[in-house]
């Protein structure tokens, strides 16, 4: 698969740069940073060439050539070998930790991805798991529409006439693989495998950079990825009266110890509800970790080179994950003032921060102005005051105790016992939490968790360090191992049960039958890439999701919560009115709005009497495609 080979090429190029920049780091850190650099080059590096050539083979070929030029120039100028691996410096991770921790946690993610993303279904259809039944169809639509239409900047395929302002770089990476012939399923899965491995490994390395302890870093990885609060208690309590109350975890739709709205449990498991279905969140977390790592290293070494590198990564982040970019901005602001007071050479210190800020802003501002601000400016769906996040009638502290569990209970003791630099980072995380508690940043209030989780990951790392220190202080106490096991169980039981439920749900929910897939293939081969298609608003829409064509209006799950509230309401009302329209009225409606085709799969979308006046150019099962004459 040529697309996969191209991605591997960029990962290798990224490693060459990381190997050159971090000669003093161990091989695991350089490999991690190389994966970050390679993925960034393939995502953000493609933008200037796509602006010139469109999203095309030519744009990719230009990037393939240019990406290696700076590295080759440096090596030739120094008359050094083009590739050599230097001896590693301080060991942050050994092979035992990689094999026994990083790979198993990554494997859990990979297994769930594999049985959740376009999983083969009986009869030739495709299916998802519980957590990918909704969001995945949106991401698939972005992947296919970017590649199929070839336009850059891309259009928003779920609402004709609008620009795609949702952070799309990670989906564009999959679009590149798809463009070069990788099947859609694998074009999504392969980058997801790699990004998730970088995320898990990067979380450990960053935790080690903060704590300096392998044991605390191991705990932090376990606590973050198998996370959960005290939601399990509701199910054990209910099982006393009815054993089915517990088994429903594995059978009912969104009825788990980390996602149980009825009991106000809203703190989702990171793997099941954030990483697998929310590809932008996965990519954003993957990028913010090296930024935190580099920021801490830069503050320690006062290296202008590290500040500039940090600024370059940060500057690429807005259209990878805007929430993570905002979180990094808050962390950076707090850390700047936290370290400024005790800095002796304030001038040199400020100059380094200017390098960081300039690099970040030069790269980020075009993205923010063209995409982010153009969507949010003047849109009342964004930036509203809202206190207490999604808490529904629970006392404030109790809501977070039962949702965050032991992490919330240990946060203050951990902060009190933390060393000075950890306290500064903790305060930076707390600043993110405070902002997210008072401001709702997008139409869907729940999505503020994309900020809260950055606070959560910082908190867990410092709490893990505290737990290890506490365990060492309790040396000699007979029951110490049992108490530790109980604490670890309380951190992870809800998450483990949720992961078990998610595994059981893999391939359970059919998204497209064989006929829908065949219809999508016909559309790809016979319908112009820039055509607009009138469909119903079901989120399981093969026209946009599988064929990458633009629809007049798609599902409210996407359009409404992406800030197009008024537009969605207006077009939904138009579709409702079309249910009584004549064939001539339907034709006039489509002509006026640039609609060239109509796709139906349900009998109540449009009246058959009006559709009969158009040519049905394709049918498969209940699927019909009509051409507007």
């Amino acid at each position: 698969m040529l697309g996969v080979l191209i991605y591997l090429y960029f990962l290798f190029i990224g490693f060459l740069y990381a190997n050159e920049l971090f000669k003093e780091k161990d091989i695991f850190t350089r490999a991690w940073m190389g994966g970050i650099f390679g993925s960034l080059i393939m995502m953000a590096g493609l933008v200037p060439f796509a602006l010139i050539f469109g999203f095309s083979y030519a744009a990719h070929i230009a990037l393939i050539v240019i990406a290696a030029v700076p590295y080759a120039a440096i090596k030739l100028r120094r008359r050094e070998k083009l590739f050599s691996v230097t001896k590693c410096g301080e060991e942050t991770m050994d092979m035992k930790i990689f094999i026994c921790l990083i790979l198993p946690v990554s494997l859990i993610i990979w297994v769930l991805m594999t049985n959740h993303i376009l999983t083969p279904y009986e009869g030739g259809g495709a299916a998802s798991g519980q957590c990918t039944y909704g969001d995945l169809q949106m991401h698939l639509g972005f992947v296919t529409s970017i590649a199929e239409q070839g336009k850059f900047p891309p259009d928003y395929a779920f609402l004709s006439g609008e620009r795609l302002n949702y952070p799309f770089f990670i989906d564009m990476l999959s679009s590149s693989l798809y463009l070069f012939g990788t099947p859609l399923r694998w074009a999504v899965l392969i980058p997801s495998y790699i990004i998730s491995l970088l995320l898990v490994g990067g979380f450990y390395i960053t935790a080690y950079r903060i704590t300096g302890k392998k044991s605390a870093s191991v705990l932090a990885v376990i606590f973050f990825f198998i996370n959960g609060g005290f939601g399990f208690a509701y199910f054990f309590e209910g099982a006393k009266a009815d054993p089915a109350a517990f088994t429903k975890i594995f059978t009912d739709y969104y009825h788990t110890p980390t996602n149980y709205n009825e009991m106000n449990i809203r703190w989702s498991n990171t793997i099941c509800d954030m990483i697998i279905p929310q590809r932008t969140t996965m990519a954003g977390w993957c990028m913010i970790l090296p930024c935190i790592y580099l920021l801490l290293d830069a503050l320690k070494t006062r290296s202008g080179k590290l500040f500039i590198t940090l600024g370059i990564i940060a500057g690429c982040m807005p259209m990878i994950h805007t929430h993570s970019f905002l979180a990094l901005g808050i962390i950076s602001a707090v850390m700047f003032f936290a370290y400024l007071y005790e800095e002796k050479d304030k001038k040199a210190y400020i100059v380094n921060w200017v390098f960081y800020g300039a690099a970040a802003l030069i790269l980020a501002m075009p993205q923010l102005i063209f995409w982010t601000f153009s969507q949010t400016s003047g849109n009342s769906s964004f930036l509203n005051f809202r206190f207490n996040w999604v808490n529904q009638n629970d006392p404030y502290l109790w809501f977070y105790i039962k949702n965050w569990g032991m992490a919330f209970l240990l946060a203050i003791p951990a902060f009190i016992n933390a060393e000075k630099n950890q306290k500064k980072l903790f305060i930076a995380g707390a600043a993110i939490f405070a902002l997210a508690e008072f401001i709702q940043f997008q139409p869907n209030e729940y999505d503020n968790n994309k900020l809260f989780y950055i606070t959560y990951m910082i908190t867990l790392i410092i709490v893990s360090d505290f737990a290890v220190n506490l365990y060492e202080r309790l040396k000699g106490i007979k029951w110490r191992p049992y108490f530790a096991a109980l604490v670890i169980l309380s951190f992870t039981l809800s998450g483990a049960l949720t992961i078990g439920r998610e595994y059981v749900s893999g391939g359970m929910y059919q998204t497209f039958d064989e006929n829908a897939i065949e219809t999508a293939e016909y559309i790809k081969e016979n319908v112009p890439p820039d055509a607009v298609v009138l469909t119903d608003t079901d989120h399981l829409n093969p026209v946009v999701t599988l064929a990458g064509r633009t629809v007049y209006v798609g599902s409210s799950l996407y359009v409404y919560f992406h800030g197009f509230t008024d537009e969605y309401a207006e077009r939904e009302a138009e579709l409702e009115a079309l249910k009584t329209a004549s064939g001539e009225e339907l034709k006039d409606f489509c002509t006026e709005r640039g609609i060239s085709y109509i796709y139906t799969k349900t009998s109540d979308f449009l009246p058959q009497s009006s559709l009969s006046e158009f040519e049905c150019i394709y049918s498969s099962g209940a699927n019909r495609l009509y051409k507007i004459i």
Side-chain angles (χ1 to χ4, degrees):
M1 294 184 286
L2 183 56
V4 177
L5 293 177
I6 291 172
Y7 187 26
L8 293 176
Y9 165 80
F10 282 111
L11 292 175
F12 177 68
I13 292 295
F15 177 75
L16 292 181
Y17 284 112
N19 189 54
E20 180 70 19
L21 188 61
F22 302 108
K23 292 180 179 179
E24 75 285 0
K25 302 295 184 181
D26 69 320
I27 190 63
F28 290 101
T29 302
R30 280 180 279 169
W32 169 49
M33 283 292 185
I36 297 295
F37 290 168
S39 298
L40 275 177
I41 291 169
M42 192 169 179
M43 288 187 287
L46 186 65
V47 171
F49 300 104
L51 287 170
I52 298 170
F53 301 110
F55 191 83
S56 63
Y57 297 119
H60 287 80
I61 293 170
L63 179 61
I64 289 170
V65 174
I66 297 298
V69 169
Y71 177 81
I74 291 170
K75 286 295 187 178
L76 290 173
R77 182 181 178 185
R78 296 177 183 171
R79 298 185 179 181
E80 296 176 347
K81 293 180 180 179
L82 284 178
F83 176 67
S84 62
V85 179
T86 57
K87 293 182 180 179
C88 59
E90 180 189 1
E91 183 186 79
T92 60
M93 184 194 304
D94 54 41
M95 189 57 69
K96 182 178 179 181
I97 289 175
F98 182 76
I99 293 174
C100 298
L101 176 71
I102 306 303
L103 278 183
V105 173
S106 299
L107 187 62
I108 292 172
I109 298 172
W110 297 344
V111 168
L112 291 177
M113 285 176 172
T114 305
N115 74 357
H116 275 59
I117 296 176
L118 290 178
T119 308
Y121 197 79
E122 61 183 30
S128 74
Q130 173 182 254
C131 71
T132 52
Y133 187 71
D135 277 7
L136 175 65
Q137 322 311 321
M138 175 194 74
H139 289 290
L140 292 174
F142 293 160
V143 171
T144 55
S145 64
I146 292 171
E148 289 284 338
Q149 298 181 24
K151 183 179 178 181
F152 199 90
D155 288 336
Y156 184 54
F158 292 92
L159 190 71
S160 62
E162 298 291 344
R163 180 194 303 150
L164 176 56
N165 293 321
Y166 184 94
F168 63 86
F169 279 9
I170 181 62
D171 289 323
M172 186 171 68
L173 194 158
S174 290
S175 299
S176 295
L177 273 67
Y178 184 65
L179 179 69
F180 281 89
T182 307
L184 179 58
R185 184 179 188 225
W186 294 105
V188 173
L189 279 173
I190 289 172
S192 297
Y193 292 156
I194 293 172
I195 295 294
S196 59
L197 177 62
L198 293 172
L199 171 58
V200 178
F203 192 91
Y204 172 87
I205 293 171
T206 305
Y208 184 83
R209 179 64 188 78
I210 295 169
T211 66
K213 298 186 183 74
K214 291 183 179 179
S215 54
S217 304
V218 169
L219 270 186
V221 169
I222 294 171
F223 290 165
F224 183 73
F225 291 98
I226 319 296
N227 74 297
F230 294 138
F232 62 83
Y234 288 109
F235 293 89
F236 284 104
E237 181 67 25
K240 292 180 181 179
D242 179 11
F246 182 81
T247 58
K248 283 181 179 178
I249 293 174
F250 303 98
T251 57
D252 285 12
Y253 190 73
Y254 276 114
H255 192 81
T256 73
T258 63
N259 207 317
Y260 190 16
N261 289 4
E262 183 180 336
M263 293 299 175
N264 211 17
I265 297 295
R266 306 298 302 276
W267 195 246
S268 303
N269 175 257
T270 54
I271 291 177
C272 295
D273 288 322
M274 305 302 293
I275 294 172
I276 295 174
Q278 301 190 42
R279 303 186 79 226
T280 51
T281 300
M282 174 183 68
W285 289 355
C286 185
M287 295 301 160
I288 198 172
L289 287 170
C291 288
I292 294 173
Y293 179 94
L294 287 172
L295 178 58
L296 296 176
D297 248 19
L299 288 168
K300 179 180 179 181
T301 63
R302 298 171 175 81
S303 168
K305 177 178 66 175
L306 291 182
F307 274 105
I308 293 172
T309 304
L310 167 60
I312 292 172
I313 298 176
C316 295
M317 285 178 62
M319 291 309 290
I320 293 175
H321 191 227
T322 314
H323 288 84
S324 291
F325 176 75
L326 173 60
L328 177 62
I330 297 168
I331 291 171
S332 299
V334 172
M335 297 294 272
F336 171 79
F337 289 106
Y339 280 81
L340 176 64
Y341 175 76
E342 59 191 39
E343 181 62 43
K344 294 180 180 179
D345 189 351
K346 288 183 170 53
K347 180 179 179 181
Y349 177 80
I350 292 172
V351 167
N352 279 331
W353 278 88
V354 169
F355 287 156
Y356 167 28
L361 289 176
I362 288 170
L363 293 172
M365 285 309 295
Q367 301 173 58
L368 293 171
I369 293 170
F370 188 77
W371 283 301
T372 307
F373 296 159
S374 67
Q375 181 180 22
T376 59
S377 178
N379 190 329
S380 60
S381 299
F382 294 88
L383 298 178
N384 291 297
F385 176 83
R386 179 185 176 86
F387 177 67
N388 207 10
W389 189 36
V390 292
N391 182 13
Q392 299 172 356
N393 303 320
D394 272 328
Y396 184 84
L397 289 179
W398 173 239
F399 172 77
Y400 280 105
I401 289 172
K402 74 180 189 178
N403 275 277
W404 279 34
M406 290 297 295
F408 192 82
L409 293 175
L410 294 178
I412 299 303
F415 172 75
I416 293 171
N417 288 274
E419 55 95 7
K420 181 174 62 174
N421 290 331
Q422 288 182 354
K423 281 186 169 72
K424 295 173 182 176
L425 186 60
F426 186 97
I427 292 171
I432 299 172
F433 184 97
L435 188 67
E437 271 289 73
F438 285 93
I439 299 176
Q440 180 181 323
F441 284 88
Q442 60 292 304
N444 186 356
E445 63 190 29
Y446 184 65
D447 278 351
N448 262 30
N449 64 4
K450 296 171 183 177
L451 289 170
F452 284 118
Y453 273 102
I454 307 299
T455 301
Y456 186 63
M457 66 170 63
I458 293 171
T459 302
L460 281 178
I461 291 171
I462 296 173
V463 163
S464 297
D465 193 30
F466 171 70
V468 169
N469 291 336
L470 182 61
Y471 186 78
E472 292 172 352
R473 293 176 191 173
L474 296 177
K475 186 176 181 181
I477 297 179
K478 181 179 180 181
W479 296 100
R480 182 179 71 153
Y482 303 102
F483 176 72
L486 186 62
V487 170
I488 293 173
L489 185 65
S490 70
F491 267 96
T492 59
L493 182 56
S494 289
L497 289 170
T498 301
I499 290 170
R501 158 57 183 160
E502 207 58 58
Y503 175 77
V504 170
S505 78
M508 179 181 291
Y509 303 98
Q510 185 179 30
T511 50
F512 301 106
D513 61 19
E514 182 181 14
N515 296 315
I517 293 173
E518 290 175 351
T519 302
E521 289 300 317
Y522 176 86
I523 291 172
K524 285 196 293 183
E525 294 174 4
N526 297 277
V527 172
D530 60 350
V532 176
V533 184
L534 182 65
T535 71
D536 63 18
T537 57
D538 186 357
H539 79 289
L540 302 176
N541 188 332
V543 174
V544 60
T545 298
L546 301 181
R549 298 311 188 260
T550 298
V551 297
Y552 182 63
V553 57
S555 171
S556 62
L557 290 174
Y558 317 134
V559 180
Y560 182 89
F561 288 114
H562 291 167
F564 297 105
T565 52
D566 294 338
E567 293 87 342
Y568 181 81
E570 180 182 336
R571 297 195 187 188
E572 185 183 39
E574 289 177 342
L575 294 187
E576 185 65 27
L578 287 178
K579 291 182 178 180
T580 58
S582 66
E584 191 63 31
E585 289 171 333
L586 179 57
K587 180 180 178 181
D588 290 343
F589 175 88
C590 292
T591 302
E592 290 171 4
R593 290 159 179 79
I595 298 169
S596 305
Y597 297 85
I598 298 174
Y599 164 80
T600 66
K601 62 178 178 179
T602 56
S603 58
D604 61 349
F605 168 48
L606 291 171
Q608 189 59 42
S609 57
S610 59
L611 287 172
S612 62
E613 297 190 23
F614 300 97
E615 177 188 5
C616 180
I617 60 173
Y618 183 81
S619 66
S620 180
N623 299 269
R624 300 285 186 275
L625 184 67
Y626 299 88
K627 186 174 182 179
I628 307 300
I629 302 174

